[in-house]
Amino acid sequence: MTAVLAPTGADVAAPPRPRRRGVRAAQAATAAVVLGAALHLRLDWSALPGLPSAVAHYLWLMFADPDWSRLPYALAQTWVSVQMAWAGALAGVVVATALGLAAARGVGPGWLRLPLRALFAVLRAVPEVVIAIVILTVTGLTPFTGALALAIGGVGTHAKWTFETIEALPDGVAEAVRAAGGTRSAIVRWGLWPAAAPELASLALYRFEINVRTSAILGVIGVGGVGDLLTGYTQYRQWDAVGVLVVVVVVVTMAIDAVSGAIRRRITKGARARVVERTG
């Protein structure tokens, strides 16, 4: 065997020192933006010491003696918010999946992908509350307005998740369908969709979880649900009723998150293997 001699220290050139001017410039710009925002907002730093006691005071008002007689009505309004979230998630996921597939590289043509991605970016930049305020002039202050706002607002995010999931798939299956003479629709149906469906189903459930929390915020503008009820009780300083609403919202949201998370894990990872003991 021929011995390979390692180069001596004189033959190895030291690597150049990394230039950190760009990093330092970004750090300085970030610090300047944060400082400028703090100065522009004119924050009252003198109120910070009294903040913990004020929070403790209102927590005591809410949870010292909650008015549990409001529980049935709170549950009914929370169910309205869940229905709003589910309808918005279902409509938004259906539309976003179709548009997201068309916006994926290798599926839709370039003249279609770029406008769709620009549309998704615009929708992601507009909060659901703003969308609801715009469309309530047509639909009125109803839960349908909230569901429609959640559907439109969810299209931008879920469509982005869809085309990113499609583009992250291995090329083998799609290439096999293409080599067999399959059309673009056949590639999507038999090559891309079966591989992407579990991940897209998981993301759809995650969209529903987000909508449940957002629906409570939409209620603030009067489209119904638990947020509308919470706003009314807060304005009239009915803190014992607010405490009941907070408990209901937290419990229902955590329960939905737990169930949805378990379903998403089952979809993406499959059932857990069980050890079966053999007897005899």
Side-chain angles (χ1 to χ4, degrees):
M1 296 179 62
T2 304
V4 180
L5 298 178
T8 62
D11 298 329
V12 179
R17 297 184 61 182
R19 297 181 178 180
R20 302 183 59 84
R21 294 179 181 176
V23 176
R24 293 192 181 95
Q27 292 173 345
T30 303
V33 169
V34 172
L35 180 60
L39 294 176
H40 179 72
L41 292 176
R42 298 178 182 177
L43 300 177
D44 186 9
W45 298 104
S46 61
L48 288 179
L51 184 61
S53 60
V55 172
H57 172 68
Y58 284 106
L59 289 177
W60 173 261
L61 293 177
M62 288 188 291
F63 301 115
D65 186 20
D67 185 6
W68 294 110
S69 64
R70 310 294 181 98
L71 182 60
Y73 190 50
L75 290 173
Q77 292 302 309
T78 303
W79 177 242
V80 172
S81 295
V82 173
Q83 289 177 309
M84 191 190 312
W86 176 252
L90 185 61
V93 164
V94 170
V95 175
T97 301
L99 297 180
L101 285 171
R105 191 176 296 107
V107 178
W111 60 267
L112 180 62
R113 292 199 312 269
L114 296 180
L116 283 177
R117 295 193 181 198
L119 174 63
F120 302 155
V122 171
L123 291 177
R124 290 196 304 274
V126 182
E128 286 84 352
V129 174
V130 177
I131 297 175
I133 292 174
V134 172
I135 64 178
L136 65 81
T137 56
V138 178
T139 58
L141 291 174
T142 63
F144 175 71
T145 301
L148 193 58
L150 291 172
I152 296 173
V155 167
T157 302
H158 194 81
K160 184 175 185 292
W161 292 344
T162 300
F163 72 72
E164 287 181 347
T165 301
I166 296 296
E167 292 177 354
L169 295 175
D171 297 331
V173 179
E175 291 296 331
V177 178
R178 186 179 292 108
T183 61
R184 183 171 296 180
S185 60
I187 293 173
V188 174
R189 172 63 183 87
W190 304 108
L192 300 177
W193 180 256
E199 182 67 22
L200 293 179
S202 174
L203 292 173
L205 287 171
Y206 184 55
R207 183 71 245 174
F208 171 60
E209 294 178 23
I210 296 174
N211 282 3
V212 170
R213 290 183 286 270
T214 308
S215 63
I217 301 174
L218 289 180
V220 174
I221 64 174
V223 297
V226 69
D228 192 3
L229 195 61
L230 185 61
T231 302
Y233 286 154
T234 304
Q235 289 177 345
Y236 288 100
R237 301 295 190 268
Q238 298 179 355
W239 300 113
D240 51 353
V242 172
V244 174
L245 284 179
V246 171
V247 171
V248 170
V249 170
V250 170
V251 171
V252 171
T253 303
M254 291 180 63
I256 291 175
D257 287 352
V259 174
S260 178
I263 297 175
R264 286 192 287 113
R265 286 192 298 271
R266 180 64 179 267
I267 291 174
T268 56
K269 298 181 180 180
R272 295 181 179 179
R274 294 183 300 176
V275 178
V276 179
E277 297 182 358
R278 299 177 62 183
T279 59

